[in-house]
Amino acid sequence: MLAIATFDIGTTAVKAVLVDETGTVLASASQDIPTLFQNGRKEQDPNVWWEAFRDLSQVLFTHYDTRDIAGIVMSGQMQDVIPVDESLAPLGNAILYADGRGAEEAKKLNALLGPEKIAAITGNAMDGTLSLPKILWLREHEPDIFTQAKCFLISSKDYVNARLTGICASDV
């Protein structure tokens, strides 16, 4: 019988569920993850996401033949910034979506392009919690991390997917 494994790398926990083709839950588990709060910043260690994913995978697949897995579905928090190097190792903690340290950079973008043009292009108002202002913040305040980054992943699931596949990618 075919099954689908689902993983959600959320703000407070990584959750996993294995369901068969009828939707029956075959196994489920979760693992809490800590958020680091310091000086108004909100961060998480991407290695903790990866370790939780590995641990939960073992829980799901202990009593199930992995050859019968039809797919893996990933979801996770978004608007993060996770700079990774050539080997896809994180260059520091993930800057979470609720971290507004890019506020000054967002103001500069609004002044440069105009809020209306930004909203027309992105469908969003530009503020310091979005990924681009946080990447620009890194360029200004953490230039070593910025220049060492092979890519900037923008979701916790993107980091786990990169570790699984070796590809930096995201969805729209």
Side-chain angles (χ1 to χ4, degrees), residues 103-116:
E104 287 302 313
E105 289 73 13
K107 285 180 189 175
K108 291 176 187 175
L109 288 168
N110 278 314
L112 178 67
L113 300 172
E116 298 81 17

Side-chain angles (χ1 to χ4, degrees), residues 6 9 12 30 36 77 83 85 90-91 93 100 103 113 120 124 127 133 139-140 144 148 157 159 165:
T6 63
I9 300 117
T12 60
S30 69
L36 310 168
Q77 54 186 295
D85 67 14
L91 293 168
N93 289 327
L113 300 172
N124 291 302
D127 68 38
R139 184 179 72 179
E140 182 71 25
D144 290 343
Q148 290 177 52
K157 67 160 174 52
Y159 175 74
T165 66

Side-chain angles (χ1 to χ4, degrees), residues 135-154:
I135 292 169
L136 294 174
W137 183 93
L138 282 171
R139 184 179 72 179
E140 182 71 25
H141 299 277
E142 300 280 349
D144 290 343
I145 290 175
F146 183 85
T147 57
Q148 290 177 52
K150 172 190 176 185
C151 69
F152 297 93
L153 300 166
I154 60 170

Side-chain angles (χ1 to χ4, degrees), residues 5-9 14-17 52-54 56-57 60-61 72-76 157:
T6 63
F7 296 88
D8 177 49
I9 300 117
V14 177
K15 299 160 285 285
V17 179
F53 171 81
R54 284 188 341 194
L56 295 171
S57 295
L60 293 189
F61 305 141
I72 298 175
V73 177
M74 302 292 283
S75 66
K157 67 160 174 52

